[in-house]
Amino acid sequence: MGEVIYIILAGLVGLGAGAALASVFIKNKHQKLEEETKEKVKSMLREAEISAESLKKDKILEAKEKYLKLKSEFDEEVSHKKNILSTNENKLKQREQHLSKELEQVKRKEAELDSKKENLDAQLNAVRVKKEELDRVTNQRIADLEKIAGLTREEARDQLVQMLTDEAQSKASSKIKDILDEAKLSATKQAKKIVLDTIQRTATEHAIENCVSVFNIESDDIKGKIIGREGRNIRALESATGVEIIVDDTPEAIIISGFDPVRREIARLSLHRLVQDGRIHPARIEEVVAKTEKNIEEEIVEIGERTCIDLGVHGLHPELIRMVGRMRFRSSYGQNLLQHSRETAKLAAIMASEMGLNAKLAKRAGLLHDIGKVWHEEQELPHAILGMELAKRYKEHPEVCNAIGAHHDEIEMTSMISPIVQASDAISGSRPGARREIMDSYIKRLKELEEMALGFDGVNKCFAMQAGRELRVLVDADHVDDQTAGKLSFDISQKIEKEMQYPGQIKITVIREMRAVNYAR
């Protein structure tokens, strides 16, 4: 037991000694590491100091080099500027020497001028003395001449001025006449050249329009339907359209006769629709004619718009466009009015371009110059003046208005476009085959015939037919009875006999139709 305790105590003593040894060992090792760390730190500090010293030396050397470089550049710049200043100083010295020489020369010239001035003053005094003596002698002689001639100096001067004025006017008049003759000769040649070039550059048709239209049909059986029972269909068609329908032995054709192209076109289109539909009777005829008239109005607007687009005329008032379209269905001396106006517009534009004027205004004036002929209301004004008033109403350019009103010399021309339009109108109307006088006089006589009958009370419509040999008058049945209708026919015939000149005889037919219309609802 005692041995065990001794062994345990010995073990405990051994453990204490080992711990002490371990502690001493650890302490020694820690000191050694601390010393090594200090040595490393000192080494790093020495290296950092060496590196910093080296870097410092490099920066100092770099700064010195930069300083030396800047100093060299500065010295060079200073040297260059010194050279420039030295050069400028030399130039200034040379300029100063040159100016000194010039100043000396100016002084010498001033001295010479002063000397010449003194000489001139002396000569001027001598001349003044001589002039005074001359004036004295002249006045004495003038006084002697006034006594001899019996005229004062002012009267003689006036006579001399008058004589010289007359002589100058005579010479000036002669010179002006020569210049005008030469100008007229050259202007005439130039005008002829422009007109010929314009005519050569314009291609036109030479055909004129007739007063009849031919309606082709597939077979002669349709003629009977068009005539109707006892001719009622053809009479209804003639009454509604105002043309004469001629159904003769001509194979597969019906002739529509009338001086008004619009009426003929309405009748032709109405016949075409009736034949296609197959229902031909008076009520249907009136319905188709009414629709056709409406379609013709739409076609007139379309023709006007298409014409303006083709010619490049823009900004026209809608009513002017409508009047341009109406020209398609009017003629002047047998020449289609729209074709004539288009031709006039093209000619005017070419002439204006050749003369350096506004071609667009000239073309516009040429297109509108005859719009007074298609105005739907009857006016007592010439068509040129009426056209000018219409153009003013629809805000056209003043030069265009003047050209329209002056193309037949009704008013004075105020612009260069006016004579151009007048010349273009004459060229278009005077070319071979363009017009015929008989056609115009014929149409004028038929219009006068209709207008004369329309002047009576109760007359609704009036149509001249058979080349003016028959006049059909449609009256209002509510205001004109059968007895009055007979008297009206007699009165119209008497007025025609008194106021018109015509070959043969004219048949006046007054048509009074009573219609009672009601609707079943």
Side-chain angles (χ1 to χ4, degrees), residues 374-443:
V374 295
W375 183 240
H376 57 276
E377 297 178 3
E378 293 295 331
Q379 298 286 341
E380 296 181 357
L381 295 173
H383 76 274
I385 303 298
L386 178 58
M388 179 184 69
E389 296 297 330
L390 291 173
K392 288 181 179 178
R393 180 187 302 178
Y394 298 118
K395 310 301 181 184
E396 282 297 313
H397 194 280
E399 292 188 11
V400 174
C401 297
N402 180 257
I404 295 172
H407 78 276
H408 284 316
D409 294 322
E410 276 89 358
I411 63 172
E412 182 181 358
M413 296 182 181
T414 58
S415 71
M416 288 298 296
I417 293 178
S418 300
I420 290 176
V421 172
Q422 187 182 50
S424 303
D425 177 51
I427 292 171
S428 175
S430 61
R431 61 179 173 77
R435 295 180 173 183
R436 60 186 182 201
E437 299 292 335
I438 299 175
M439 175 67 69
D440 185 71
S441 60
Y442 163 70
I443 292 175

Side-chain angles (χ1 to χ4, degrees), residues 311-323:
L311 293 177
V313 177
H314 305 291
L316 280 183
H317 190 278
E319 187 59 34
L320 290 179
I321 294 177
R322 187 176 290 106
M323 283 190 278

Side-chain angles (χ1 to χ4, degrees), residues 16-28:
L21 289 174
S23 174
V24 171
F25 177 77
I26 292 169
K27 183 177 180 181
N28 291 334

Side-chain angles (χ1 to χ4, degrees), residues 252-428:
E252 298 181 355
I254 294 175
I255 298 174
I256 304 171
S257 176
F259 72 92
D260 191 336
V262 177
R263 297 179 189 171
R264 293 204 310 272
E265 185 68 11
I266 291 173
R268 188 185 67 81
L269 293 176
S270 299
L271 268 176
H272 180 71
R273 293 178 178 178
L274 288 168
V275 169
Q276 280 188 334
D277 184 52
R279 295 176 296 165
I280 305 177
H281 52 80
R284 178 62 178 166
I285 288 172
E286 291 181 359
E287 179 184 352
V288 170
V289 169
K291 289 183 179 179
T292 305
E293 288 177 349
K294 182 179 179 181
N295 293 337
I296 285 291
E297 285 298 321
E298 295 175 355
E299 183 181 356
I300 285 172
V301 175
E302 182 181 353
I303 291 171
E305 292 175 347
R306 188 166 59 247
T307 300
C308 293
I309 292 172
D310 292 343
L311 293 177
V313 177
H314 305 291
L316 280 183
H317 190 278
E319 187 59 34
L320 290 179
I321 294 177
R322 187 176 290 106
M323 283 190 278
V324 170
R326 287 197 193 109
M327 291 182 185
R328 168 64 181 81
F329 303 101
R330 294 289 185 272
S331 61
S332 177
Y333 295 93
Q335 183 183 27
N336 183 268
L337 192 58
L338 180 59
Q339 181 64 26
H340 166 63
S341 298
R342 289 172 62 101
E343 185 178 342
T344 302
K346 293 177 181 178
L347 290 168
I350 295 173
M351 287 188 185
S353 298
E354 292 290 336
M355 298 174 67
L357 301 175
N358 192 328
K360 290 185 178 180
L361 278 182
K363 184 183 291 185
R364 199 180 190 95
L367 177 63
L368 300 177
H369 78 285
D370 270 345
I371 56 173
K373 291 184 177 180
V374 295
W375 183 240
H376 57 276
E377 297 178 3
E378 293 295 331
Q379 298 286 341
E380 296 181 357
L381 295 173
H383 76 274
I385 303 298
L386 178 58
M388 179 184 69
E389 296 297 330
L390 291 173
K392 288 181 179 178
R393 180 187 302 178
Y394 298 118
K395 310 301 181 184
E396 282 297 313
H397 194 280
E399 292 188 11
V400 174
C401 297
N402 180 257
I404 295 172
H407 78 276
H408 284 316
D409 294 322
E410 276 89 358
I411 63 172
E412 182 181 358
M413 296 182 181
T414 58
S415 71
M416 288 298 296
I417 293 178
S418 300
I420 290 176
V421 172
Q422 187 182 50
S424 303
D425 177 51
I427 292 171
S428 175

Side-chain angles (χ1 to χ4, degrees), residues 231-232 234-240 242-243 286 453 457-463 465 470-482 484-486 488-489 492 507-515:
R232 64 174 185 173
I234 195 170
R235 285 197 303 271
L237 186 60
E238 289 178 344
S239 299
V243 299
E286 291 181 359
D457 294 334
V459 176
N460 285 340
K461 296 181 181 179
C462 185
F463 303 122
M465 298 185 174
E470 181 178 355
L471 184 65
R472 295 187 181 180
V473 182
L474 304 180
V475 297
D476 187 357
D478 294 335
H479 297 86
V480 179
D481 54 18
D482 292 340
T484 307
L488 180 62
S489 175
I492 293 174
K507 177 183 178 182
I508 294 91
T509 303
V510 176
I511 301 174
R512 177 179 177 270
E513 185 178 10
M514 183 62 186
R515 297 188 183 185

Side-chain angles (χ1 to χ4, degrees), residues 184-197:
K184 287 179 180 179
L185 182 62
S186 60
T188 302
K189 290 181 180 178
Q190 185 67 18
K192 288 180 179 178
K193 180 180 180 300
I194 292 174
V195 170
L196 290 175
D197 290 344

